[in-house]
Amino acid sequence: EPEVTQTPSHQVTQMGQEVILRCVPISNHLYFYWYRQILGQKVEFLVSFYNNEISEKSEIFDDQFSVERPDGSNFTLKIRSTKLEDSAMYFCASRTSAFKGETQYFGPGTRLLVL
Amino acid sequence: KQEVTQIPAALSVPEGENLVLNCSFTDSAIYNLQWFRQDPGKGLTSLLLIQSSQREQTSGRLNASLDKSSGRSTLYIAASQPGDSATYLCAVMSRNYGQNFVFGPGTRLSVLP
């Protein structure tokens, strides 16, 4: 069964460094998402992406964050200058169609630790 | 703004018991509601998806119901097993707040052998 994959599974970085989290959505999917979960807290929406542009973003998704689909398979989340509070699990998700009742398929997550 | 709450926050039951987890949401204009399972430090495993037009969905020992008008969903787990121990998350996709999921805080379930 096709699945969303994410790399790396874990990343440790120093505060102020740039990180890029990578996702490979399911191949025929057209809508892509990033969510994050700070330890012990709710899963929160960050951004959605369709047709090579951001569809929606939350208040969390400030100028430090950017997303890109650099080729036909990868979807990336970049944090330009990491802060301690960016430490969280980051989940990528994708879905296939414009039908909003369709589910999103989630990847296994990348655990980011900022020191 | 859509708010999703889940009660109880934690639940501990002996093996074999039937149990119910509750999810409430404030805006009933939803496309769907989904239940996920999350093991400690792990990703999200989709359990059941209920469309707004549906009343319930079943998969094995799991049954999820949806009462959109009252803003509630329940996840029923029959004959619980220690392997069911995990955090169960409820998430809704609202008509009024974009095309992303809004998650509840989860119920942490422990099934004791």
Side-chain angles (χ1 to χ4, degrees), chain B residues 50-81:
Chain B
I50 311 177
Q51 301 292 346
S52 62
S53 59
Q54 297 175 323
R55 293 297 297 241
E56 66 178 330
Q57 283 286 335
T58 298
S59 175
R61 294 182 294 107
L62 305 180
N63 175 277
S65 67
L66 174 64
D67 183 345
K68 203 173 55 169
S69 60
S70 67
R72 294 181 182 179
S73 176
T74 61
L75 179 66
Y76 175 82
I77 303 177
S80 58
Q81 302 170 358

Side-chain angles (χ1 to χ4, degrees), chain B residues 9-106:
Chain B
L11 180 64
S12 184
V13 299
E15 181 177 5
E17 272 203 10
N18 303 324
L19 56 99
V20 174
L21 309 181
N22 297 287
C23 171
S24 297
F25 46 96
T26 53
D27 187 338
S28 61
I30 65 171
Y31 287 108
N32 60 49
L33 181 146
Q34 190 155 358
W35 284 92
F36 293 88
R37 168 184 173 140
Q38 185 175 33
D39 292 291
K42 302 295 185 182
L44 306 175
T45 301
S46 176
L47 297 174
L48 290 164
L49 170 71
I50 311 177
Q51 301 292 346
S52 62
S53 59
Q54 297 175 323
R55 293 297 297 241
E56 66 178 330
Q57 283 286 335
T58 298
S59 175
R61 294 182 294 107
L62 305 180
N63 175 277
S65 67
L66 174 64
D67 183 345
K68 203 173 55 169
S69 60
S70 67
R72 294 181 182 179
S73 176
T74 61
L75 179 66
Y76 175 82
I77 303 177
S80 58
Q81 302 170 358
D84 295 330
S85 298
T87 296
Y88 290 81
L89 304 177
C90 164
V92 298
M93 188 174 294
S94 299
R95 292 183 180 273
N96 296 326
Y97 302 105
Q99 55 180 310
N100 51 280
F101 276 121
V102 177
F103 283 81

Side-chain angles (χ1 to χ4, degrees), chain A residues 78-90:
Chain A
K78 181 191 291 186
I79 309 175
R80 289 190 184 81
S81 179
T82 49
K83 306 170 193 165
L84 296 177
E85 55 264 36
D86 294 328
S87 295
M89 180 79 97
Y90 288 81

Side-chain angles (χ1 to χ4, degrees), chain A residues 27-91:
Chain A
S27 62
N28 63 338
H29 284 193
L30 302 175
Y31 294 79
F32 313 112
Y33 304 83
W34 284 101
Y35 292 80
R36 80 171 185 190
Q37 185 181 33
I38 295 171
L39 187 63
Q41 298 188 21
K42 291 184 182 185
V43 177
E44 302 171 289
F45 167 72
L46 291 178
V47 65
S48 61
F49 191 85
Y50 169 70
N51 200 25
N52 283 320
E53 58 183 29
I54 291 175
S55 303
E56 293 174 88
K57 58 182 180 178
S58 71
E59 297 169 348
I60 304 168
F61 194 87
D62 61 22
D63 292 343
Q64 293 296 318
F65 292 91
S66 63
V67 289
E68 191 178 32
R69 188 154 163 83
D71 53 44
S73 59
N74 291 284
F75 178 51
T76 62
L77 174 68
K78 181 191 291 186
I79 309 175
R80 289 190 184 81
S81 179
T82 49
K83 306 170 193 165
L84 296 177
E85 55 264 36
D86 294 328
S87 295
M89 180 79 97
Y90 288 81
F91 294 107

